[in-house]
């Protein structure tokens, strides 16, 4: 999605990897802005519309217990996500660094909390979510081959691994390939959902409204159940912060970042609500609750011999979502390296292809490692607490910076109503897992806290005081990676600051 301007290099004084020429130099290797408004919209929509809308309706319905309440939950989830996206639009135009919440926490609260955010992403959030998306892609691709039985475990995981490797290669090879892949698969998944929506609306027009009689009958009144239903909806809405991971690569970010968010969020929210209306028009509650893939059950009843199109659409949707996730997470590691929280070689750029090859390969290897975990879906439960905690912390940082730096240039300045409401709702989302899923939440907290000694050893401690073997290992591996990946270090374009 981005390209980079190459630069002559010079040897680092400590004998480490070569670095780019001095700060502010016109020849320095720096991020080049290549993400247009259309690319930005496709990135956000493509990452938000993953497998969730094809699967999550069951999770929302099982906890809400009625069609009426479930539609209310989907609407609240959309509004909540819009609030968060608007807050990130202000943060992204105020703090023009890539890295999303990592960059915002770093700016507001300093290196320690930002490192813990980076550590949880590196260790659990990004590789786990990518492994799950790849496995979901694989499940739907092999389903037609094994229609009457469960696909072999090894075949499923190998196809998922091939998917991760292919998309890592695409993003390493040429940045335009990644752009075109994202745009194509975004269009494909939106068209598939529009087909579902039109089918449902036609059925409603033909008088198929019996499933909407007594819309709120049997609705759950348990706050815990409603919270879990909201969690399932928010899983589908996740990804609204994708463009903030690549802020430095957006053309005219002060205009295009908030505009891309303003276009994307209503599109996704309306598509999600209408898709659920279409599902509910055709399928009774029991049919949805008994289905592991609601969209496939819907297609079996409506599309006849063309029912194979929906499993294919789910697979394509996962493929596009995985591509966006790989792009965003590799930039997170890239920025973390540039800020000194990860080894220097992760912020290197290929000298000819101008892609962050080491960061992309590191991200791919981590996702492949998590594919080896048999019950990888269970790992998702470990980071609900951490994910919402750090998203909320970044919005709290927005409020803190408003107080600390009231005169700072803010191209987009929201009413304080939005960040305050979002922070309050985030507290709810952080507290609920501690109550309803205590063990997994505590494991997630332990994973985050495991980064504390790493921070003090590898970041806080001055370089000359770190263990000699550690320094030698990092230096030698850095040189090796630089040679293998044919890359050099980069620096930020501070003229934009």
């Amino acid at each position: 999605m981005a390209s980079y301007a190459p630069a002559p290099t010079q040897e680092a004084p400590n004998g480490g990897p070569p670095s780019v020429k001095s700060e502010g130099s016109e020849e320095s290797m720096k991020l080049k802005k290549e993400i247009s408004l259309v690319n930005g919209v496709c990135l956000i929509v493509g990452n938000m519309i993953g497998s969730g809308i094809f699967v999550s309706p069951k999770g929302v319905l099982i906890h809400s217990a009625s069609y009426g309440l479930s539609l209310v939950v989907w609407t609240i989830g959309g509004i909540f996500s819009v609030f968060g996206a608007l807050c990130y639009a202000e943060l992204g135009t105020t703090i023009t660094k890539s890295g999303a919440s990592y960059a915002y926490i770093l700016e507001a609260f300093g290196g320690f909390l930002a490192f813990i955010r980076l550590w949880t992403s590196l260790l659990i959030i990004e590789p786990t979510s990518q492994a799950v998306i790849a496995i979901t892609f694989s499940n739907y691709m092999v389903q037609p081959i094994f229609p009457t039985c469960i696909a072999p475990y090894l075949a499923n995981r190998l196809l998922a691994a091939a998917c991760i490797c292919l998309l890592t290669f695409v993003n390493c090879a040429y940045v335009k390939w990644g752009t075109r892949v994202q745009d194509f698969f975004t269009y494909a998944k939106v068209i598939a959902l529009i087909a579902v929506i039109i089918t449902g609306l036609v059925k409603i027009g033909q008088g198929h409204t019996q499933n909407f009689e007594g819309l709120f009958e049997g609705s759950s009144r348990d706050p815990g159940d409603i919270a879990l239903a909201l969690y399932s909806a928010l899983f589908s809405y996740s990804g609204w912060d994708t463009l903030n991971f690549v802020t430095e690569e957006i053309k005219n970010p002060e205009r295009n970042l908030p505009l891309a968010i303003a276009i994307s969020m209503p599109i996704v929210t309306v598509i999600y609500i209408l898709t659920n209306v279409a599902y509910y028009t055709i399928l009774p509650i029991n049919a949805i609750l008994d289905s592991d893939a609601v969209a496939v059950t819907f297609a079996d009843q409506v599309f006849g011999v063309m029912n194979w199109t929906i499993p294919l659409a789910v697979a394509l949707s996962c493929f596009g979502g995985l591509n966006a996730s790989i792009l965003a997470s590799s930039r997170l590691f890239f920025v973390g390296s540039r800020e000194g929280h990860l080894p220097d070689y992760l912020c290197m750029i290929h000298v000819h292809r101008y892609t962050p090859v080491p960061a992309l390969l590191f991200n791919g290897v981590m996702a492949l490692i998590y594919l080896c975990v048999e019950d990888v879906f269970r790992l998702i439960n470990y980071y609900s607490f951490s994910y919402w905690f750090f998203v909320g912390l970044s919005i709290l940082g927005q409020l803190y910076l408003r107080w600390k730096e009231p005169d700072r240039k803010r191209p987009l300045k929201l009413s304080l109503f939005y960040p305050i409401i979002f922070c309050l709702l985030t507290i709810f989302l952080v507290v609920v897992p501690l109550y309803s899923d205590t063990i997994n939440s505590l494991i997630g907290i332990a994973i985050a806290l495991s980064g504390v000694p790493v921070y003090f050893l590898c970041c806080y401690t001055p370089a000359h005081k770190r263990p000699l073997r550690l320094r030698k290992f990092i230096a030698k591996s850095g040189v090796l990676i630089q040679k293998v990946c044919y890359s050099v270090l980069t620096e930020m374009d501070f003229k934009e600051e």
Side-chain angles (χ1 to χ4, degrees):
M1 297 292 290
S3 62
Y4 304 83
T9 59
Q10 56 189 17
E11 288 296 322
N14 61 0
S19 64
V20 292
K21 274 194 171 183
S22 72
E23 49 192 89
S25 169
E26 287 296 324
E27 296 180 326
S28 63
M29 180 171 282
K30 59 192 178 186
L31 294 166
K32 187 176 178 182
K33 300 179 183 298
E34 287 213 342
I35 298 179
S36 66
L37 176 61
V38 173
N39 295 147
V41 171
C42 287
L43 250 180
I44 297 173
V45 174
N47 201 18
M48 288 182 72
I49 304 179
S51 62
I53 188 57
F54 298 98
V55 180
S56 286
K58 174 182 177 179
V60 175
L61 190 58
I62 198 170
H63 294 297
S64 59
S66 75
Y67 282 161
L69 184 57
S70 68
L71 290 174
V72 171
V73 168
W74 279 103
T75 304
I76 292 173
I79 295 171
F80 178 76
S81 300
V82 167
F83 275 37
L86 288 174
C87 293
Y88 265 48
E90 178 182 319
L91 283 166
T93 53
T94 304
I95 304 169
T96 54
K97 292 181 181 179
S98 297
S101 59
Y102 166 75
Y104 309 146
I105 293 170
L106 180 67
E107 183 84 8
F109 302 115
F112 175 70
L113 286 175
F115 177 83
I116 299 302
R117 161 70 176 95
L118 182 66
W119 179 256
T120 56
S121 292
L122 180 153
L123 206 60
I124 191 82
I125 294 177
E126 301 300 341
T128 298
S129 60
Q130 289 171 25
V132 167
I133 295 171
I135 291 170
T136 305
F137 164 82
S138 178
N139 284 337
Y140 281 95
M141 287 299 290
V142 301
Q143 186 181 23
I145 303 173
F146 301 94
T148 59
C149 62
I150 298 175
Y153 173 84
L154 189 59
N156 188 294
R157 294 303 169 105
L158 286 175
L159 183 57
C163 176
I164 291 172
C165 291
L166 175 61
L167 287 174
T168 300
F169 166 75
V170 164
N171 282 278
C172 285
Y174 293 101
V175 290
K176 285 298 181 185
W177 288 9
T179 305
R180 289 165 184 160
V181 165
Q182 192 59 46
D183 292 352
F184 173 79
F185 285 100
T186 298
Y187 299 146
K189 67 179 74 177
V190 170
I191 290 170
L193 288 174
I194 289 174
V196 170
I197 290 168
I198 291 174
T199 303
L201 294 179
V202 168
K203 290 292 184 181
I204 290 175
Q206 293 173 347
H208 293 265
T209 58
Q210 63 275 12
N211 289 344
F212 295 106
E213 296 172 2
L215 204 56
F216 288 89
E217 284 183 11
S219 296
S220 174
R221 297 185 179 182
D222 183 354
D225 285 339
I226 295 173
L228 292 173
L230 183 59
Y231 257 105
S232 292
L234 290 173
F235 170 74
S236 293
Y237 281 110
S238 62
W240 44 262
D241 58 346
T242 303
L243 200 56
N244 295 73
F245 282 95
V246 292
T247 304
E248 296 166 36
E249 300 158 69
I250 304 172
K251 296 176 182 177
N252 191 8
E254 292 183 1
R255 170 186 178 270
N256 287 341
L257 175 62
L259 192 54
I261 289 172
I263 294 171
S264 304
M265 296 306 298
I267 289 174
V268 174
T269 303
V270 170
I271 285 177
Y272 277 7
I273 293 172
L274 291 181
T275 299
N276 279 281
V277 169
Y279 290 155
Y280 298 163
T281 302
I282 304 298
L283 303 173
I285 289 181
N286 291 338
I288 293 177
L289 298 182
D290 291 339
S291 173
D292 290 326
V294 177
V296 175
T297 306
F298 176 91
D300 289 340
Q301 294 201 21
V302 176
F303 290 165
V305 294
M306 297 296 290
N307 61 355
W308 56 270
T309 57
I310 291 299
L312 178 62
V314 178
L316 295 178
S317 183
C318 293
F319 196 81
L322 182 58
N323 182 68
S325 179
I326 287 173
L327 172 79
S329 58
S330 65
R331 269 52 176 185
L332 173 62
F333 301 144
F334 174 91
V335 174
S337 171
R338 191 181 61 194
E339 298 291 344
H341 286 160
L342 291 175
D344 284 346
Y345 44 76
L346 289 181
C347 67
M348 291 182 183
I349 298 298
H350 193 280
V351 295
H352 293 315
R353 300 181 186 275
Y354 316 138
T355 52
V357 174
L360 283 161
L361 293 178
F362 173 76
N363 177 78
V365 168
M366 289 296 293
L368 291 174
I369 289 172
Y370 277 78
L371 278 182
C372 300
V373 179
E374 186 169 354
D375 192 10
V376 68
F377 288 87
R378 182 177 177 82
L379 296 177
I380 292 178
N381 298 328
Y382 297 157
Y383 71 68
S384 289
F385 174 89
S386 299
Y387 175 78
W388 287 112
F389 174 78
F390 287 114
V391 168
L393 190 63
S394 62
I395 305 298
L396 185 63
Q398 179 183 8
L399 294 170
Y400 175 68
L401 289 173
R402 284 282 195 96
W403 170 77
K404 182 183 178 183
E405 302 175 5
D407 298 326
R408 183 169 184 164
K409 180 185 176 184
R410 290 178 173 85
L412 174 66
K413 190 171 183 179
L414 298 174
S415 164
L416 288 176
F417 170 79
Y418 294 98
I420 290 172
I421 293 298
F422 190 88
C423 282
L424 292 174
L425 290 173
T426 304
I427 292 172
F428 172 74
L429 291 173
V430 167
V431 170
V432 166
L434 284 172
Y435 170 75
S436 62
D437 197 9
T438 307
I439 299 299
N440 286 330
S441 296
L442 291 176
I443 293 173
I445 294 172
I447 291 171
L449 293 178
S450 68
V452 174
V454 178
Y455 172 79
F456 282 103
L457 176 64
C458 300
C459 300
Y460 184 79
T461 304
H464 67 277
K465 292 185 178 181
R466 296 170 194 166
L468 182 61
R469 289 185 179 181
L470 177 63
R471 283 184 283 154
K472 285 184 175 180
F473 172 76
I474 292 175
K476 288 180 179 179
S477 61
V479 172
L480 176 63
I481 290 171
Q482 183 173 19
K483 290 178 179 178
V484 171
C485 297
Y486 203 46
S487 303
V488 294
L489 291 174
T490 62
E491 64 183 17
M492 189 173 173
D493 184 5
F494 290 100
K495 291 180 182 180
E496 298 283 338
E497 291 294 293

